[in-house]
Amino acid sequence: MREYEVNNRGNLVFGGCDTVALAKEYGTPLYVIDEEYLRAKCREIRETFLEKYPNTKAVYASKALQTLEVCRVIKEEGLGFDTVSGGEVFTALKAGVEPETMVFHGNNKTLDEIEFAVKNNVGRFVVDNEYELENIGIIAKKLGKTVKVQIRITPGIDSHTHEYISTAKIDSKFGVFCEGETRDSIIGKAIDNPSIELMGFHCHVGSQLMDNQDHMMALPIVLNMVKEVNERFGFAPSELNLGGGFGIRYVDSEQETRVADFTDPMMEEINGFFAENKLPVPTIYIEPGRWIAGNAGITLYTVGSIKEIKGIKTYLAVDGGMPDNPRKILYGAEYEAVTANRAAVPANKQFSIVGKCCESGDVLIDKCNLAENTVSGDILAVFATGAYNYSMASNYNRVPRPALVMVKSGKARLSVRRETYEDMILREI
Ligand SMILES: Cc1ncc(COP(=O)(O)O)c(C=O)c1O
């Protein structure tokens, strides 16, 4: 969450817009994305990483939040794109993203997806496994192209985050372990395949990491692997991709992180290692997603039923829930909220904010203090919903997906229209 602003009507202001007026104009639930904030985050990456260190690249992890407009904003700010499916590649292409700035991820890219990305000249493939490497080689050969790849490796650390977003353990569905036969086999095959150009390695330790501990634990393991691979194959990487995972402030008690908190110590270690080992310093990539988009967004809901169970709790139900924000039910994610039309009133009554779905687990916030005079019909704003909400939304219970508006300096524009009942049956035969 970010520090919030309240106007003289006592309403929450976001991106310069009165959120109560937004709810009235566009309906609820409503995703609201602050364009200036997206740009400011990209600017911080440029100023404290890309411009500070030569040969660096930042690719935005599209999975956090991808729309055509978001792609255009991020592209204008000079970042490339991490994509993880044919659909993400397609959307970025449609938005006018140059394919060479795209990195294509995924632990099980289909043959169709590989062919689509190769045909469209996607810049880098992050190869997950030997089966995929072989398929990329076959498809690249058929199309008369050479594909540039980074191999995804797992350093075997258990990052300090939720199990479902921890990605660097030995027991991981992603990548190959950084030691042993499997590693040597995939590297050897990548080097030998004339349709493949091995650029280097990729490692993503996990997501929503609030300090650099895990990144700094993984880095020496990756660098040690670089040394071993150099000794064994005479191969020096021209690229090293450090992934994303930089955490954001969801709740009051957390601190915002700066990108430099992660990148400065990593760059120091990287530069030291390559100087010491007399190897050229590779181009360093980072792949932040949540850190750019998370606090760029809020979700507005209309308060429906309020049900007090004496001595236990007061349930406050909103007109959305797990279909527009599945993070609580997936990871036990925490959020903060405010009654947007009573934002100046002290928040001194505890509510349990729940969604409208037919699941007891459809809870948005277990315990949330709101203005005690909050009533049905009020507007509730949940903070920090910019990442992994719109992109993870579903139609569970046939609930149409919300509209998305972009706000910028007091002006709002509809960017994704609200889904209709008709939309939900469009593909049915
Ligand atoms: C390979 C890879 N890169 C980047 C990211 C982005 O992570 P975050 O949004 O935490 O920065 C992810 C997230 O799952 C990922 O798997």
Side-chain angles (χ1 to χ4, degrees):
M1 67 175 300
R2 291 150 61 183
E3 297 311 321
Y4 60 83
E5 211 186 305
V6 181
N7 64 17
N8 54 16
R9 269 164 280 168
N11 293 345
L12 171 73
V13 173
F14 190 72
C17 294
D18 182 319
T19 55
V20 180
L22 291 177
K24 192 161 178 207
E25 182 169 357
Y26 298 100
T28 58
L30 182 69
Y31 296 118
V32 186
I33 303 293
D34 179 356
E35 180 182 331
E36 274 307 335
Y37 187 86
L38 288 175
R39 290 188 187 277
K41 296 300 265 187
C42 294
R43 206 156 47 238
E44 185 179 328
I45 290 173
R46 277 205 315 275
E47 287 167 2
T48 65
F49 177 63
L50 298 173
E51 287 163 12
K52 183 167 177 187
Y53 300 103
N55 297 328
T56 46
K57 290 195 175 173
V59 292
Y60 166 67
S62 311
K63 71 202 86 178
L65 170 69
Q66 193 190 36
T67 65
L68 295 172
E69 244 193 319
V70 168
C71 286
R72 285 184 206 118
V73 169
I74 304 277
K75 174 186 134 126
E76 279 172 20
E77 294 298 326
L79 269 62
F81 290 80
D82 150 1
T83 54
V84 78
S85 69
E88 286 187 0
V89 172
F90 172 84
T91 307
L93 288 171
K94 281 279 175 191
V97 170
E98 294 86 2
E100 55 279 11
T101 68
M102 286 188 215
V103 174
F104 191 19
H105 273 280
N107 67 310
N108 189 27
K109 301 171 185 76
T110 66
L111 298 181
D112 284 348
E113 286 177 317
I114 294 172
E115 182 149 348
F116 178 64
V118 175
K119 268 189 182 152
N120 281 289
N121 303 314
V122 164
R124 297 287 178 278
F125 274 64
V126 175
V127 175
D128 185 88
N129 54 70
E130 260 188 47
Y131 171 69
E132 180 192 327
L133 183 79
E134 215 173 285
N135 287 328
I136 295 172
I138 293 166
I139 290 167
K141 189 171 174 201
K142 183 178 88 177
L143 298 173
K145 304 209 185 205
T146 305
V147 172
K148 293 188 162 93
V149 310
Q150 300 168 355
I151 293 174
R152 180 163 183 169
I153 54 125
T154 49
I157 67 156
D158 191 357
S159 53
H160 296 85
T161 190
H162 190 281
E163 185 191 346
Y164 292 174
I165 47 176
S166 166
T167 52
K169 291 186 284 191
I170 300 180
D171 177 2
S172 171
K173 74 166 187 169
F174 299 108
V176 291
F177 185 46
C178 63
E179 293 171 13
E181 268 172 43
T182 315
R183 173 198 81 182
D184 286 351
S185 173
I186 190 168
I187 293 173
K189 285 182 178 162
I191 292 172
D192 288 346
N193 192 322
S195 301
I196 302 268
E197 186 179 352
L198 178 61
M199 307 303 287
F201 304 103
H202 169 280
C203 171
H204 171 78
V205 283
S207 213
Q208 182 53 10
L209 299 168
M210 295 308 284
D211 59 45
N212 61 29
Q213 211 183 324
D214 295 314
H215 288 83
M216 294 308 289
M217 209 189 315
L219 187 57
I221 301 172
V222 174
L223 294 176
N224 184 54
M225 188 202 88
V226 166
K227 194 172 167 187
E228 279 176 21
V229 169
N230 183 255
E231 284 160 7
R232 190 168 170 83
F233 293 95
F235 172 80
S238 56
E239 294 179 352
L240 211 50
N241 187 333
L242 308 173
F246 315 147
I248 64 158
R249 181 176 180 231
Y250 278 101
V251 292
D252 233 358
S253 56
E254 289 170 332
Q255 295 285 320
E256 270 303 336
T257 63
R258 297 172 317 149
V259 81
D261 298 337
F262 297 88
T263 48
D264 280 350
M266 287 198 283
M267 290 309 290
E268 194 182 331
E269 181 143 349
I270 288 168
N271 286 329
F273 170 87
F274 283 94
E276 194 181 308
N277 288 283
K278 300 192 174 46
L279 291 170
V281 183
T283 297
I284 303 297
Y285 284 64
I286 54 168
E287 295 176 335
R290 182 193 318 272
W291 190 85
I292 294 172
N295 266 312
I298 59 170
T299 308
L300 300 177
Y301 300 95
T302 300
V303 175
S305 60
I306 298 179
K307 191 184 289 178
E308 187 177 351
I309 304 180
K310 285 256 181 282
I312 298 183
K313 62 171 71 156
T314 302
Y315 281 105
L316 179 153
V318 294
D319 54 353
M322 60 183 279
D324 62 79
N325 185 355
R327 290 191 65 255
K328 165 78 177 161
I329 201 161
L330 273 175
Y331 317 130
E334 293 187 315
Y335 288 96
E336 304 264 8
V338 67
T339 307
N341 53 311
R342 302 181 198 277
V345 177
N348 51 14
K349 178 164 180 189
Q350 196 177 83
F351 294 88
S352 183
I353 300 174
V354 296
K356 64 189 264 82
C357 283
C358 206
E359 299 275 333
S360 295
D362 178 22
V363 176
L364 284 174
I365 310 178
D366 283 319
K367 290 177 184 167
C368 180
N369 281 354
L370 298 174
E372 70 179 337
N373 55 349
T374 298
V375 291
S376 306
D378 281 355
I379 301 300
L380 188 86
V382 175
F383 296 108
T385 59
Y388 304 104
N389 273 228
Y390 172 79
S391 59
M392 283 186 163
S394 78
N395 284 132
Y396 180 54
N397 281 178
R398 286 291 201 193
V399 176
R401 276 170 285 206
L404 184 151
V405 296
M406 299 283 281
V407 289
K408 187 183 178 190
S409 315
K411 290 210 165 63
R413 58 188 192 275
L414 186 64
S415 193
V416 182
R417 71 163 169 80
R418 185 172 302 285
E419 202 167 31
T420 63
Y421 294 151
E422 287 294 330
D423 288 333
M424 288 190 288
I425 57 166
L426 260 186
R427 293 172 299 112
E428 293 187 28
I429 297 152

